């Protein structure tokens, strides 16, 4: 009787366990607080249930049964699978691992975008004022958000939150704004035909988070490319500079006779007439004080820059670069070299084997000059695909071993030159005039002393280019004591020479890598090493097959008539053999 009573007691206690577990879960779920009381109920119920199971198995020899062992194995395997799935889901929410298998990486942020978002100095938020949440736009914003916790985005219905819409000045559905602190900027307006652009979003993000601006001057007065929209203009290139937080202005050295002190970069884009000797000297003096120059010189022109280029070891070849390999691809003829080989340089480091083309271009010859480091940027394919043609009047371009130059040809080069440091001794009572800035070419360019010796070599603080690179030798302001004898830190001058300016004109600027070559060159020249270079637009390759009428008819007949007849004939043959 005692054994029977004990069995009944454990039976009742066993059912008490699930009851207490149910009470604990109910209390926790209803109160939404998993405090002491629900935990006590849960732990007590689990302990009682566990003891009851052990007692029942001991009394009935349950563990030794074959069915128990099989069921236990199945239960353990099920729990293991659930644990593995739970661990995978936990890791999936904590760590994001995605594989973009598209050839052009259409669903992956460009390295420039990732680099910019990862180093955001302060939180930023994208506000999309639209009712419809386009999956493509959300995917792009999610990609940004995965890079940094400081990047957030939110979709807003302007009618549901009119106060917020008024705060941003929203005028229409689809407007996308970027906000960082007290700064707000319109990114673009999205609609069914225009989706959110990574290029625009990264450009606006760069402008919003970077308070410094660099001044770029474009030389005018010698038939250079027009800055406003028009035939052969570079208005799209100028707009691209504006999107990257550059401030652009025209420059006429015939009027000023000196490059402004705030010039981060000077661009000479396709001059048709030669520069005056004084203008060439002004550019030389600008380079000598740590300036940065971009020269885009077309064939059949003589800008009178040979003296400047000779100091850097560059010579403009008067022949025409010819490339017959890309004639059928580009569709612009053999006089538009197709470049897929780029130098190891920050300007072209992410280009890979991408395409860029340069209609009507001239090759460059590079020679070694002490103190100058040169890196070829653009190289054509080897001969017989490309060569430098000397006979520009002939309708049929053929290689002439006596006059022409075999490829590969260099169409662009990037050069750097360290300025020679000088030691100066400045008394503490009064500043003394410093020598002229150029240690190498001053005797050639300007033998007379400078009328204003107060600021040799150093550019003013507004220029972000030379603030970190140039080393001023000028005395301290009168308000503070002058420095004791010291030496100047070497400043670096940069020069990019391209044998073509057509690639940056409207219509060609946005094709392939042409715009990146221009924008990356200016960014590198500005010596803003913290700024990401330009982002190439991602375009899926056109893999459609174009069929003629005959080919299309043949395909229809083969698929609808020929293949079924072949299958039917094989079936008849098999049936006849088995009969």
């Amino acid at each position: 009787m005692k054994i029977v009573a004990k069995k009944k007691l454990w039976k009742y206690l066993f059912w008490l366990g699930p009851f207490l577990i149910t009470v604990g879960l109910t209390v926790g779920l209803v109160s939404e607080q998993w405090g002491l009381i629900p935990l006590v109920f849960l732990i007590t119920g689990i302990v009682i249930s566990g003891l009851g199971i052990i007692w029942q198995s001991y009394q009935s020899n349950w563990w030794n049964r074959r069915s128990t062992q099989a069921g236990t194995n199945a239960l353990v395997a099920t729990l293991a699978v659930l644990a593995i799935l739970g661990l995978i889901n936990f890791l999936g929410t904590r760590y994001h691992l995605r594989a973009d298998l598209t050839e052009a990486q259409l669903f992956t942020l460009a390295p420039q975008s990732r680099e910019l978002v990862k180093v955001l100095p302060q939180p930023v938020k994208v506000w999309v004022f639209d009712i419809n949440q386009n999956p493509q736009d959300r995917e792009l914003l999610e990609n940004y958000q995965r890079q940094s916790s400081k990047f957030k985005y939110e979709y807003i219905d302007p009618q549901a939150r009119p106060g917020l819409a008024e705060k941003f000045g929203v005028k229409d559905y689809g407007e996308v704004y970027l906000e960082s602190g007290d700064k707000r900027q319109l990114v673009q307006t999205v609609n069914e035909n225009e989706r959110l652009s990574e290029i625009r979003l990264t450009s606006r993000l760069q402008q919003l988070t970077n308070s410094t601006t660099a001044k770029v001057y474009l030389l005018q007065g010698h038939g250079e490319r027009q800055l406003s929209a028009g035939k052969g203009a570079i208005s799209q290139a100028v707009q691209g500079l504006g999107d990257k937080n550059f401030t652009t202005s025209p420059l006429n050295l015939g009027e000023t006779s000196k490059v402004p002190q705030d010039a981060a970069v000077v661009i000479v884009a396709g001059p048709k007439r030669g520069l005056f000797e004084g203008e060439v000297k002004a550019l030389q003096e600008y380079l000598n004080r740590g300036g940065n120059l971009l020269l885009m010189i077309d064939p059949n022109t003589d800008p009178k820059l040979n003296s400047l280029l000779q100091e850097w070891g560059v010579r403009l070849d008067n022949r025409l670069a010819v490339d017959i390999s890309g004639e059928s691809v580009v569709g612009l003829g053999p006089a538009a070299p197709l470049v897929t080989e780029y130098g190891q340089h920050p300007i072209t480091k992410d280009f890979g084997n991408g395409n860029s083309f340069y209609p009507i271009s001239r090759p460059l010859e590079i020679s070694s000059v002490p103190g100058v480091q040169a890196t070829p940027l653009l190289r054509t394919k080897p001969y017989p695909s490309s060569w430098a043609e000397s006979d520009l009047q002939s309708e049929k371009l053929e290689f002439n071993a006596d006059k022409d130059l075999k490829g590969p040809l260099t169409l662009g080069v990037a050069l750097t030159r360290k300025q020679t440091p000088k030691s100066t001794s400045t008394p503490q009572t009064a500043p003394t005039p410093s020598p002229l800035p150029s240690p190498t070419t001053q005797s050639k360019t300007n033998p007379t002393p400078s009328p204003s010796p107060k600021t040799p070599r150093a550019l003013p603080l507004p220029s972000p280019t030379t603030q970190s690179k140039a080393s001023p030798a000028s005395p301290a302001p009168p308000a503070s004591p002058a420095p004791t004898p010291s030496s100047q830190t070497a400043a670096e001058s940069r020069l990019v020479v391209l044998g073509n300016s057509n690639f940056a004109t409207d219509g060609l600027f946005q094709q392939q890598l042409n715009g990146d070559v221009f924008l990356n060159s200016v960014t590198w020249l500005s010596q803003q090493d913290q700024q990401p270079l330009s982002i190439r637009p991602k375009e899926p390759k056109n893999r459609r097959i174009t069929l003629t009428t005959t080919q299309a008819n043949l395909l229809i007949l083969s698929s609808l008539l020929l293949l079924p007849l072949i299958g039917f004939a094989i079936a008849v043959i098999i049936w006849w053999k088995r009969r």
Side-chain angles (χ1 to χ4, degrees), residues 331-464:
L332 297 178
L338 180 67
V339 172
T340 59
E341 181 181 346
Y342 305 93
Q344 297 295 324
H345 193 271
I347 295 177
T348 55
K349 66 176 182 179
D350 295 323
F351 283 9
N353 295 324
N355 297 323
S356 60
F357 56 96
Y358 306 87
I360 315 299
S361 57
R362 68 195 309 168
L364 309 175
E365 293 185 11
I366 313 301
S367 58
S368 178
V369 173
V372 175
Q373 181 178 358
T375 304
L377 297 177
L378 313 170
R379 293 181 67 86
T380 64
K381 296 178 175 60
Y383 178 81
S385 295
S386 70
W387 68 87
E389 176 65 43
S390 58
D391 188 1
L392 305 183
Q393 304 299 326
S394 175
E395 296 182 359
K396 187 176 181 180
L397 299 176
E398 293 180 347
F399 178 76
N400 188 331
D402 297 332
K403 300 180 180 179
D404 300 338
L405 176 66
K406 292 183 178 181
L409 308 173
T410 299
L411 303 184
V413 63
L415 308 103
T416 59
R417 183 177 67 188
K418 293 287 185 181
Q419 303 293 347
T420 305
K422 295 181 180 181
S423 298
T424 59
S425 179
T426 307
Q428 297 187 3
T429 56
T432 58
S434 300
L436 288 176
S438 172
T440 57
T441 61
Q442 183 60 40
S443 60
K444 299 179 182 179
T445 59
N446 192 2
T448 59
S450 171
S452 177
K454 294 182 180 180
T455 57
R457 293 189 60 190
L459 297 181
L461 290 178
S463 171

Side-chain angles (χ1 to χ4, degrees), residues 4 100 110 119 126 155 168 174 179 186 209 246 303 323 328 339 408 452 467 474 497 512:
V4 174
D100 188 354
V119 296
V126 175
Y155 276 83
F168 281 85
E179 182 181 32
L186 176 65
T209 56
F246 289 102
D323 181 8
S328 60
V339 172
S452 177
Q467 192 169 343
S474 57
V497 184
Q512 302 298 326

Side-chain angles (χ1 to χ4, degrees), residues 302-335:
D302 183 12
K304 305 298 183 183
L305 291 170
N306 293 335
S307 59
L308 183 150
L309 293 173
Q310 186 177 3
E311 297 177 359
W312 292 78
V314 180
R315 191 183 77 84
L316 301 173
D317 197 310
N318 292 323
R319 289 170 285 197
L320 178 68
V322 174
D323 181 8
I324 60 175
S325 64
E327 181 177 358
S328 60
V329 179
V330 180
L332 297 178

